[in-house]
């Protein structure tokens, strides 16, 4: 008889078992740096931030943003026109990049459309369209006639749209846990694949600039008036960005090459709705579970893409966690200064950045940051480095104390 | 494919006219009447009094059924991974955010902003119970309950552990109510455990599997369930009717437009 995987009598959590690696057959991301992986890699190599002065909306706050230039000029195909909104346009732009849509079609052919799951993360989905409607209510207080699609004014809009756009027939679910959303999609997809519910899974996430996040984070006094400076001694808040990203996951059935998902860890802080646990307890539990599923020791991690938002508290807690758990040789950096904090899309953007590091043997620095906070250990780097990356880790921590850590590897062979 | 085999350790249910699983179960079976006058909203004892008053309806609803389900299961809330599912999240908070952004964006309340995240209820729950296990917040529009139940069963079997599923939706208000349809308050919670490790015989157990092809939502049997059909979490109702009747026939729930979640007792 199987026993449950923790012992309630002692209140101790048992470490999760090692999981079989999953191949990342294809991946893509579209950020303020440009459409697809190449412009992001080029920006990371050049050490050039893609942030710009906030020009979003009628009365922009004084801050800097990571805005995707091509969203406005992207049109949905006529058959999908009913889904039109900024977030779904960015999703479409993102799907077309890096031939990702071709990889999806091939997987659909290989496995059948009902055997491909879609698990997408988003924090605000298409709330921007709802905000637009509220700004243009008619005399009776009704939504304008051209903005009344119930499928758009709801958080499942993104996944529902992508499910239709890719003509998929498998499970379709939205994970919406704020800034950990599109990291946790890897966990949900891995379980479906492990249990044989599906043979492939498309994971990812999209979040777009909207009033809710710009003015909401402003109300929490978490926005920097200047480009964000992760882990800087004088950091003064985040820069918000928008992005899309997707990855195709499959079980490994041959000796082929390519990067793999090795593990994930999910946890809760049980501390505060908008502030991390001061000792990073939740983040460390997620780290422990991710390493256990990957059957790796922290000393084996070559590179960490940090959550590194440039908020005072996140960076303080995350720097302390990295300093106490990783060797000095681990190269840890934050890419938030390149792309902005893309919120519900941050998990997939930074998964893509971690996979780029593995594939190109290039670990980015922390752009905009001038002087590291005294709490940073030798792991946290301002400058980039070129070296082989066998194992990379990506941190995503969200409101509600929702944490996820992912582990990626260069291949299935150890 | 091996179907997922799980058991229901405990059940909680809350709607204004059916404020508790025993009341709801009796009403679904035609053996009891809904309460009259209906309750206004739950007051989960797990929150401090000030928080209980300030909490959005979605949080009050979710924490009420979560606390009851965990208590009935006899398990330790701090150890249970949780899956929170809501089609739309807190629609009153969304209406507030969009109204304020249209009128005076600089006046957005920081508390209402962090309460606008879809995982707000999950956050308050893990804080209230000092639970550091994984928690997630999902949506799948009008098939949200089926999607949440699949995720809960998947977590339960993949990691061989009991999990908490909490499903809820609230009344649509303001201009948003024109396009987003959801009436009244409805919440339900389950503690799921792997069938192989369940302690007590007599608990309802199901094999879950995916069946390709579309299906209509099963018709509701009782007037008590039909009265709740306007809530956005209404796709949960056929499952709770099936629990009430302890049916031995498979229950098919739409998971997407083209896929069915089959639950075989």
């Amino acid at each position: 008889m199987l026993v449950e995987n923790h012992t309630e009598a002692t209140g101790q959590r048992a470490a999760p078992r090692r999981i079989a690696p999953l191949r990342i057959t294809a991946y893509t991301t579209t950020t303020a740096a440009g459409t697809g992986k190449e412009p992001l890699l080029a920006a990371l190599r050049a050490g050039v931030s893609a942030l710009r002065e906030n020009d979003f909306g009628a009365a922009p706050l004084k801050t800097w943003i990571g805005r995707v230039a091509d969203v406005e000029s992207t049109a949905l195909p006529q058959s999908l026109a009913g889904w039109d909104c900024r977030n779904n346009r960015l999703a479409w732009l993102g799907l077309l990049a890096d031939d990702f849509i071709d990889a999806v079609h091939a997987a659909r052919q290989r496995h059948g459309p009902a055997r491909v799951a879609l698990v997408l993360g988003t924090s605000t989905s298409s709330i921007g369209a709802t905000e637009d409607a509220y700004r243009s209510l008619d005399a009776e207080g009704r939504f304008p006639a051209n903005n009344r699609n119930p499928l758009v004014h709801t958080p499942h809009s993104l996944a529902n749209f992508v499910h239709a756009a890719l003509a998929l027939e498998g499970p379709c679910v939205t994970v919406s846990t704020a800034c950990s959303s599109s990291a946790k999609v890897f966990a949900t997809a891995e379980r479906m694949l492990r249990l044989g519910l599906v043979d492939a899974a498309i994971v990812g996430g999209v979040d777009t600039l909207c009033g809710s996040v710009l003015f909401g984070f402003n109300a929490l006094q978490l926005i920097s008036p200047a480009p964000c400076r992760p882990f800087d001694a004088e950091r003064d808040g985040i820069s918000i960005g928008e992005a899309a990203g997707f990855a195709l996951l499959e079980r490994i059935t041959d000796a082929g090459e390519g990067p793999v998902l090795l593990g994930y860890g999910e946890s809760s802080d049980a501390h505060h709705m908008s502030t991390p646990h001061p000792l990073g307890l939740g983040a460390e539990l997620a780290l422990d579970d991710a390493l256990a599923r990957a059957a790796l020791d922290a000393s084996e991690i070559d590179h960490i893409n940090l959550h590194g938002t440039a908020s005072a508290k996140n960076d303080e807690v995350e720097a302390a966690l990295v300093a106490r758990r990783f060797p000095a040789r681990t190269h840890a950096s934050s890419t938030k200064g390149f792309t902005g904090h893309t919120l519900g899309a941050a998990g997939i953007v930074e998964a893509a950045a971690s996979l780029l590091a593995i594939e190109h043997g290039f670990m980015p620095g922390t752009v905009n940051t001038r002087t590291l906070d005294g709490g940073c250990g030798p792991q946290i780097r301002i400058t980039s480095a070129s070296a082989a990356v066998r194992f990379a880790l990506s941190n995503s921590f969200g409101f509600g104390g929702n944490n996820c850590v992912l582990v990626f590897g260069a291949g299935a062979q150890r | 494919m091996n179907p997922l085999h799980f058991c229901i350790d405990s059940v909680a249910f809350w709607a204004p006219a059916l404020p508790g699983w025993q009341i709801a179960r009796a009403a679904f079976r035609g053996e009891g009447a809904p309460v009259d006058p209906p309750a206004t909203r739950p007051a989960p004892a797990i929150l401090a009094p000030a928080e209980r008053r300030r909490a959005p309806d979605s949080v009050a609803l979710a924490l009420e059924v979560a606390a009851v389900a965990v208590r009935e299961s006899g398990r330790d809330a701090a150890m249970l991974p949780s899956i929170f599912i809501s089609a739309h999240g807190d629609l009153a908070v969304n209406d507030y955010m969009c109204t304020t952004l249209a009128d005076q964006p600089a006046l957005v309340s920081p508390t209402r902003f962090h309460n606008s995240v879809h995982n707000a209820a999950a956050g308050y729950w893990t804080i209230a119970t000092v639970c550091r296990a994984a928690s997630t917040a999902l949506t799948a529009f009008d098939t949200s309950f089926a999607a949440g139940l699949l995720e809960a069963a998947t977590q339960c079997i993949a990691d061989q552990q009991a999990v908490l599923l909490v499903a809820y939706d609230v009344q649509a208000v303001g201009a948003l109510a024109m396009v987003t349809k959801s009436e009244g308050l409805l919440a339900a919670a389950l503690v799921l455990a792997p069938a192989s490790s369940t302690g007590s015989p007599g608990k309802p157990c199901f094999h879950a599997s995916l069946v390709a092809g579309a299906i209509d939502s099963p018709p509701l049997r009782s007037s008590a369930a039909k009265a709740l059909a306007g809530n956005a979490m209404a796709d949960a109702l056929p499952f709770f009717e099936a629990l009430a009747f302890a049916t031995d026939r498979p229950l098919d729930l739409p998971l997407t437009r083209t896929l069915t979640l089959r639950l075989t007792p």
Side-chain angles (χ1 to χ4, degrees), chain B residues 146-168:
Chain B
L149 185 57
L150 176 64
E151 170 70 12
T154 304
Q155 284 198 25
C156 173
I157 301 308
D159 293 337
Q160 288 296 308
Q161 62 187 341
V163 301
L164 169 66
L165 172 66
V166 184
Y168 58 93

Side-chain angles (χ1 to χ4, degrees), chain A residues 268-337:
Chain A
S268 306
D269 271 359
H271 174 69
H272 190 272
M273 283 302 289
S274 58
T275 303
H277 188 284
L279 303 176
L281 273 188
E284 190 155 12
L285 288 171
L287 170 65
D288 287 338
D289 279 11
L291 292 171
R293 286 197 176 88
L296 286 172
D297 187 81
S299 64
E300 297 174 271
I301 300 298
D302 301 303
H303 173 51
I304 308 173
N305 186 303
L306 297 160
H307 190 52
T309 60
S311 81
K313 211 66 201 170
N314 174 83
D315 291 9
E316 177 192 323
V317 171
E318 194 177 19
L321 173 62
V322 169
R324 73 177 174 265
R325 290 297 302 272
F326 291 90
R329 72 164 195 91
T330 302
H331 177 119
S333 55
S334 165
T335 49
K336 294 289 197 294

Side-chain angles (χ1 to χ4, degrees), chain A residues 14-315:
Chain A
R17 295 190 185 93
R18 181 177 182 169
I19 59 170
L22 292 175
R23 177 156 295 135
I24 296 163
T25 314
Y27 69 99
T28 182
T29 188
T30 289
T31 66
T35 301
K37 290 182 284 193
E38 283 305 321
L40 177 61
L41 181 61
L44 298 175
R45 283 191 188 279
V48 174
S49 169
L51 299 177
R52 60 159 134 180
E53 276 193 84
N54 183 17
D55 56 358
F56 186 82
L61 289 167
K62 184 178 161 39
T63 183
W64 287 57
I65 58 172
R67 182 170 185 165
V68 178
D70 293 336
V71 180
E72 281 82 5
S73 60
T74 299
L76 300 184
Q78 193 54 42
S79 60
L80 298 168
W83 295 98
D84 192 32
C85 64
R86 185 178 187 87
N87 208 57
N88 290 339
R89 282 188 193 196
L90 179 51
W92 183 244
L93 181 66
L95 284 170
L96 295 179
D98 295 318
D99 300 323
F100 186 78
I101 211 160
D102 297 333
V104 171
H105 289 323
R108 213 181 49 195
Q109 291 288 322
R110 266 198 305 283
H111 305 297
R115 300 288 300 171
V116 181
L118 179 67
V119 188
L120 295 184
T122 185
S123 180
T124 51
S125 196
S126 40
I127 193 80
T130 315
E131 294 173 8
D132 286 344
Y134 270 73
R135 274 192 296 269
S136 40
L137 298 177
D138 68 16
E140 284 85 51
R142 297 178 309 177
F143 278 26
N146 64 355
N147 189 6
R148 289 180 183 173
N149 184 352
L151 295 173
V152 167
H153 297 285
T154 189
H156 194 47
S157 168
L158 167 70
N160 223 351
F161 162 71
V162 172
H163 204 241
L166 298 177
L168 296 173
E169 298 179 8
C172 172
V173 68
T174 298
V175 178
S176 188
T177 55
C179 303
S180 60
S181 301
S182 63
K184 286 169 76 75
V185 296
F186 286 89
T188 288
E190 190 280 333
R191 289 185 284 261
M192 286 189 194
L193 283 158
R194 184 165 15 130
L195 294 174
L197 292 167
V198 293
D199 298 316
I202 294 150
V203 299
V206 184
D207 251 343
T208 28
L209 294 164
C210 60
S212 295
V213 295
L214 285 161
F215 288 98
F217 280 104
N218 180 60
L220 284 165
Q221 300 182 300
L222 289 172
I223 297 240
S224 172
C228 70
R229 294 156 66 185
F231 299 101
D232 196 297
E234 295 175 14
R235 66 187 177 278
D236 59 358
I238 71 173
S239 299
I240 291 177
E242 61 187 352
F246 301 95
L248 172 60
L249 305 180
E250 294 176 87
R251 285 186 292 272
I252 295 172
T253 54
D254 58 33
E257 293 182 353
V260 293
L261 173 72
L262 291 173
Y264 58 83
E266 302 169 279
S267 73
S268 306
D269 271 359
H271 174 69
H272 190 272
M273 283 302 289
S274 58
T275 303
H277 188 284
L279 303 176
L281 273 188
E284 190 155 12
L285 288 171
L287 170 65
D288 287 338
D289 279 11
L291 292 171
R293 286 197 176 88
L296 286 172
D297 187 81
S299 64
E300 297 174 271
I301 300 298
D302 301 303
H303 173 51
I304 308 173
N305 186 303
L306 297 160
H307 190 52
T309 60
S311 81
K313 211 66 201 170
N314 174 83
D315 291 9

Side-chain angles (χ1 to χ4, degrees), chain A residues 5 8 134 154 176 268 399, chain B residues 75 88 95 119 133 137 160 197:
Chain A
N5 195 20
E8 287 179 53
Y134 270 73
T154 189
S176 188
S268 306
F399 274 3
Chain B
R75 293 177 183 270
H88 301 303
D95 175 62
N119 62 317
Q160 288 296 308
S197 72

Side-chain angles (χ1 to χ4, degrees), chain B residues 103-162:
Chain B
D103 298 342
Q104 294 175 294
L107 297 187
V108 163
S109 146
T111 304
R112 298 251 207 142
F113 169 60
H114 72 53
N115 284 347
S116 75
V117 297
H118 200 68
N119 62 317
Y124 282 105
W125 168 255
T126 53
I127 292 166
T129 58
V130 198
C131 173
R132 295 203 169 88
S135 75
T136 194
L138 309 176
T139 172
F141 196 61
D142 57 355
T143 56
S144 284
F145 180 76
L149 185 57
L150 176 64
E151 170 70 12
T154 304
Q155 284 198 25
C156 173
I157 301 308
D159 293 337
Q160 288 296 308
Q161 62 187 341

